Amino acid sequence: MTSSRVSLKRERKIRFFQPDAYISIDYDQRRAQIFYKPAPGAGWLDIRTESIEIKEGDALADEIDSFLDCVASRDLPLVGGAEGLRALEIASMISSQL
């Protein structure tokens, strides 16, 4: 991840490199692109791509609405407490290594 306050262009992207894929998420353009590595022995023309449009919205408002719905209906949340704790632990590990 790179960051700059003095960059000449506005860019809101994050990129992930996986053993079998490259993922680029552009928060400014609200688009994600996934490039899948071709099978062994295949050429670069066999790279598969997938584009995902990210809908407009307010993530924090959606999270609060979902929480309130779960409380009112007593349904389980989309992400449980154990998963949330694990995400927090990972974020803390990353933060401590910066």
Side-chain angles (χ1 to χ4, degrees), residues 27-97:
Y27 291 100
D28 193 43
Q29 298 296 315
R30 297 184 176 279
R31 179 178 56 227
Q33 291 181 294
I34 306 171
F35 300 87
Y36 297 98
K37 184 177 178 181
W44 66 272
L45 290 174
D46 294 314
I47 294 174
R48 292 184 302 113
T49 63
E50 179 181 355
S51 288
I52 301 168
E53 297 298 321
I54 301 168
K55 69 178 183 169
E56 185 111 12
D58 182 335
L60 183 55
D62 292 345
E63 183 179 340
I64 292 168
D65 288 343
S66 176
F67 173 76
L68 294 174
D69 288 343
C70 286
V71 170
S73 65
R74 297 193 177 268
D75 284 337
L76 292 175
L78 293 174
V79 177
E83 294 90 355
L85 177 60
R86 183 67 182 139
L88 186 58
E89 290 169 344
I90 291 169
S92 181
M93 282 189 326
I94 292 169
S95 182
S96 70
Q97 294 180 15

